[in-house]
Amino acid sequence: MARIRQPPTFANMTGSQLISAMINCFFFGIAFLMTVQYFRRQARKDPIYVRVMIAVMIALATLQTIFVNHQSYRDTISRHDGVQDLRGIIEFTIPGKFICVFLITFIAQMFFAARIWTLTKKVGRSARFALIPLVALSLLQLVNGCILVHLEATSETFVDLSAHTPLLIRATAMQGTATAAADIVITVTLCYLYHAYGSVSSKVHDTVDRLVIYAINRAVATSICAMLNVFLYYFVSGTYYFIIPALMTSQLYIISVVSVLTSKESLRDEIEQEAQKTDGMTKIDSNKYSYSEKSV
């Protein structure tokens, strides 16, 4: 069994939960407002499966926020007698919030897989091979996440859960690593495809540069949270600080997906304006790019 590296005091455990609850609420607010804006302005132009994905993700994020706040209230208000209570019965909100995180992560990764598939309809068909490791890594993070949730749901108390510490550490490491690796695959593939479309014209090339920046920023944020979750779980055991990046991951995925959908409209307008000023061949290539962007 792994050694507890931090004393499981009331401050260490409850304080980290309060911090995670506040940060989660902050990012949930951003994700919710962006989602509302998306459904009011751009949703009608996207395929039904994209709208369903966004709706499911924001519903799961809402449940996640409810579970997080419920657990925080229970541990700080209803059960405030000390560490012994904190290490007692496992509430349903604990596995509940984590399954929401893992499902949101999986759905977001499948969204980007669908985006890659659509972009490769016109160019870069060889990039479709990247979907194999992407789907495999997405399933790997989901399976390991389900293992964690199963252990939490079937353990009556934290003492019972601690008996599975070696498996918890391995599953957490695999889940975080798979999430970060999937982000890398998504980013590298999208950057390759965006550059493939960037040969249309100088204006489109500038647009592609912006898309590449979006992709890299998204991957950096989610990958750091995924790996920080693993780091804090192992090296700051005895506290709940690992929950902070874990909860942020799902909210950042929603923000990144909705950002892609809301920003592509203005980028598409720039491409269409440039296509009207260029020769026939450029128009054809630009229409290919717009078609791929609109389809996803």
Side-chain angles (χ1 to χ4, degrees), residues 84-105:
Q84 188 62 34
D85 283 339
L86 290 175
R87 303 182 72 180
I89 297 175
I90 296 179
E91 297 285 345
F92 71 94
T93 53
I94 295 178
K97 66 184 179 184
F98 283 115
I99 192 61
C100 291
V101 171
F102 303 139
L103 286 175
I104 291 173
T105 300

Side-chain angles (χ1 to χ4, degrees), residues 26-289:
F26 174 77
F27 282 97
F28 170 72
I30 296 175
F32 184 81
L33 290 176
M34 292 181 65
T35 302
V36 171
Q37 182 183 25
Y38 164 74
F39 277 107
R40 290 182 60 185
R41 299 182 180 181
Q42 282 95 15
R44 296 186 184 88
K45 301 178 181 179
D46 290 318
I48 184 65
Y49 78 90
V50 173
R51 285 176 278 173
V52 170
M53 280 184 170
I54 300 300
V56 171
M57 283 194 291
I58 199 62
L60 289 171
T62 303
L63 284 176
Q64 172 186 315
T65 302
I66 293 172
F67 290 150
V68 170
N69 291 331
H70 177 272
Q71 183 190 358
S72 180
Y73 179 85
R74 289 279 292 174
D75 289 342
T76 57
I77 306 299
S78 300
R79 301 185 301 176
H80 59 279
D81 295 331
V83 180
Q84 188 62 34
D85 283 339
L86 290 175
R87 303 182 72 180
I89 297 175
I90 296 179
E91 297 285 345
F92 71 94
T93 53
I94 295 178
K97 66 184 179 184
F98 283 115
I99 192 61
C100 291
V101 171
F102 303 139
L103 286 175
I104 291 173
T105 300
F106 178 76
I107 294 172
Q109 290 170 345
M110 290 301 97
F111 165 82
F112 285 108
R115 184 171 178 81
I116 290 172
W117 177 269
T118 303
L119 288 173
T120 54
K121 286 183 178 180
K122 296 297 181 180
V123 298
R125 287 181 176 270
S126 59
R128 289 185 175 181
F129 287 107
L131 294 175
I132 298 175
L134 172 56
V135 174
L137 289 168
S138 299
L139 290 173
L140 181 62
Q141 78 83 20
L142 182 61
V143 169
N144 281 276
C146 289
I147 292 174
L148 294 172
V149 171
H150 172 74
L151 293 175
E152 293 167 346
T154 56
S155 299
E156 185 176 353
T157 66
F158 285 101
V159 175
D160 298 333
L161 183 62
S162 64
H164 304 289
T165 299
L167 179 57
L168 289 171
I169 292 176
R170 289 195 295 268
T172 301
M174 289 294 293
Q175 192 278 330
T177 303
T179 300
D183 285 333
I184 293 174
V185 173
I186 292 171
T187 303
V188 171
T189 307
L190 286 178
C191 289
Y192 167 76
L193 290 173
Y194 289 151
H195 279 297
Y197 281 102
S199 59
V200 175
S201 69
S202 59
K203 181 66 175 180
V204 174
H205 181 75
D206 294 338
T207 301
V208 166
D209 288 341
R210 292 168 60 186
L211 289 171
V212 170
I213 293 174
Y214 291 160
I216 293 176
N217 289 341
R218 180 204 64 79
V220 169
T222 53
S223 296
I224 288 177
C225 285
M227 297 311 299
L228 192 59
N229 172 37
V230 178
F231 178 84
L232 293 177
Y233 183 84
Y234 185 78
F235 290 102
V236 197
S237 57
T239 72
Y240 287 144
Y241 286 109
F242 72 93
I243 296 177
I244 299 174
L247 298 178
M248 286 177 57
T249 302
S250 58
Q251 308 293 1
L252 288 174
Y253 265 117
I254 297 176
I255 293 172
S256 65
V257 170
V258 177
S259 295
V260 169
L261 294 172
T262 55
S263 63
K264 75 178 185 180
E265 189 67 26
S266 60
L267 297 177
R268 187 189 307 151
D269 291 340
E270 291 182 7
I271 294 172
E272 291 176 351
Q273 292 174 5
E274 177 66 14
Q276 296 175 358
K277 301 176 183 179
T278 54
D279 56 18
M281 183 59 66
T282 301
K283 289 180 181 180
I284 294 175
D285 292 340
S286 212
N287 287 334
K288 289 180 181 179
Y289 186 84

